[in-house]
Each structure stands twice: as C-alpha cells, then as structure tokens.
Amino acid sequence: PGSPLVPRPFRVLAPRAETADTTTLTLEPADGAPLAFSAGQFTMLGTFGGSEAPISVTSSPTPAGPIEQTIRDMGGVTRALTRAQPGDMLTVRGPYGTGWNITDGSGGDIVIVAGGIGLAPLRSALLQVLADRANYHRVVLLYGARSPQERVFRDDLARWERGEGDIAFDITVDRADPGWPGRVGLVTHLIPGAVFDPARTLALVCGPEVMMRFVAAALIDAGVPAGRIRVSLERNMKCGIGLCGHCQLRELFICTDGPV
C-alpha cells in the first residue's frame, strides 16, 4: 500500500542468531499488508528515529506473509538492527533493485555459489526453486565460509546436506577447527567436482567481490556461458532509488540497475 518511498512499520516477531555478529529477523507488517518482493531484492531497513541500511530479503517470495532479513553487525544502524527484540518496531522501505529472475533457468540446472553472508540474498532464490522443484533439473549449492563458526543458516545447511529438497550440496571453509570434518579451501575449488550441464545452467553467485570474480571465471572455464552467470553486488546505499550516488559503479547504480 502507498508509495515504496515511504517507510512502513514492521514488527519484529523473532530474532535468530546466525553467527556471533549476524542475526536473522522475522518481521511482519504492522499494517497487515504483506511485502511483495522478488528473490534477490532488498529493502532499506531502519530504526524509528535512526538511519537505514540496505538488507536483502532472505525468505521465500511465496507465500506472502512475514519476511526474514539477515543482518551483519557492521556498526551503527546494523548494530541496532541486530539487537532488535520481539515486539520492536522497525521501518521498511522498498522492495528495491533487481531480482535473480530464476525462472530463466526453468528446465535446466541451477548452480548457486555463495561465500559467507552472500548466502543471504541467495537463500530466497533457493527457497523459490525448492518450492517449484519439478521445474528444474539439477540444483547445486556450493558454499564457502571463513570458518565453521561463520556459517549462516545452519539448520538449512543441515537439511540440504541430508539431501532434503534434492539439492547437490557441498561446503568448504577457509580455516578449519579441530572438530571440522569437511573440506578446507576456497569455494572455487568445489566447482570442478560439481555435476551440472554447463550449456543449460543458470548460475547465481554472491559473496565478496574478489570471490565472485574468481567463481565467474571458474564457471566460464567449466563451460557456463557468461550471459548465464549472475552476481549480486553490495554497496553503501543511502536512498535505494538512484538519487544519492553512493552505490554508483561506472555508469551503473547498484540500487536500480542491480543488485543482480
């Protein structure tokens, strides 16, 4: 309802700690009208009387209902957001930006490569794929985290590792602790061992920019057409609508031409 430029009040239903500095908030609209969004879009999430930060929506775009947003404490407004408690009211503007448009991959393979909290904007796309699983062939998720303690969405990861959703899942960490039984190394090292048909693959990538550059190159080396590789970029946005210039990348504005 109303203009997407006007902040709407959303109520915190539940906070969930993901890591030592990352929290997922479940939010419901105080006005009762669900937020319609596409997987990959973000909102400007803020505190009353405070500032805002661009935060990806991490829940599935369907069905309509409460949304989830995952926030890393980077100081300032994000610290206040990660400390929100049930019943607190926050402001939501949006949704803004472009989405993953995963239906472009219908009938083929979906390869998702995530680094760290880069899994947050990809989770929405993956949940949408799983809700419509019969429309896709292979679904591959390759995830890299800096350490076992810095994995996000661990309940989801455990389910996907068990094979729920018919996902081919592999994970690696940069630094292991003594109890880590899995792989150690860069997420790019997982690509050669993954099984997918490059000619009919739609690849979605999100993580640190240097990681995305190397992942995109590795996917191209594996035969995935460059035009079938999509990345999501992050910048310090202030307006979300292409006015402030904080997110300019050459001739592009990440908030309106992206983030995908």
Side-chain angles (χ1 to χ4, degrees):
S3 167
L5 305 182
V6 178
R8 293 174 53 193
F10 273 63
R11 182 180 298 106
V12 177
L13 294 181
R16 180 177 74 246
E18 301 287 352
T19 69
D21 64 358
T22 304
T23 300
T24 295
L25 299 179
T26 303
L27 305 165
E28 67 173 359
D31 57 16
L35 181 76
F37 66 95
S38 300
Q41 287 190 301
F42 67 95
T43 75
M44 297 299 294
L45 182 64
T47 56
F48 276 92
S51 189
E52 301 172 310
I55 305 294
S56 296
V57 185
T58 57
S59 48
S60 174
T62 56
I67 63 170
E68 291 184 333
Q69 299 202 256
T70 301
I71 306 115
R72 172 171 284 169
D73 178 359
M74 303 293 286
V77 65
T78 52
R79 179 161 299 160
L81 293 172
T82 60
R83 294 177 178 176
Q85 295 299 309
D88 287 354
M89 299 294 287
L90 301 176
T91 62
V92 171
R93 273 198 302 125
Y96 296 131
T98 56
W100 294 108
N101 292 330
I102 58 167
T103 53
D104 290 351
S106 294
D109 296 349
I110 300 287
V111 175
I112 293 174
V113 188
I117 198 174
L119 184 56
L122 287 164
R123 180 177 183 253
S124 181
L126 183 52
L127 293 175
Q128 186 177 347
V129 167
L130 295 183
D132 199 17
R133 183 64 184 84
N135 274 344
Y136 303 91
H137 192 221
R138 295 185 186 92
V139 178
V140 177
L141 172 62
L142 307 177
Y143 180 47
R146 283 183 290 188
S147 70
Q149 292 75 28
E150 292 175 84
R151 292 169 295 157
V152 293
F153 310 121
R154 295 190 201 182
D155 289 346
D156 289 339
L157 297 179
R159 285 195 297 271
W160 298 331
E161 198 160 20
R162 291 194 300 266
E164 292 186 24
D166 190 20
I167 296 175
F169 174 66
D170 206 353
I171 184 172
T172 186
V173 297
D174 295 341
R175 302 185 309 274
D177 56 34
W180 175 248
R183 300 178 188 271
V184 178
L186 300 176
V187 71
T188 47
H189 297 165
L190 302 180
I191 293 172
V195 178
F196 56 91
D197 179 355
R200 56 186 299 198
T201 287
L202 178 67
L204 314 178
V205 186
C206 189
E209 287 191 17
V210 65
M211 165 261 181
M212 290 193 286
R213 285 200 296 272
F214 281 102
V215 166
L219 289 167
I220 290 171
D221 288 344
V224 180
R228 300 284 287 173
I229 300 170
R230 296 177 182 171
V231 301
S232 181
L233 296 176
E234 182 181 34
R235 289 293 186 274
N236 181 24
M237 304 174 195
K238 294 295 184 185
C239 72
I241 55 174
L243 294 178
C244 72
H246 279 80
C247 70
Q248 187 167 2
L249 176 66
R250 300 191 309 271
E251 73 282 8
L252 303 172
F253 290 98
I254 300 303
C255 66
T256 52
D257 299 305
V260 178

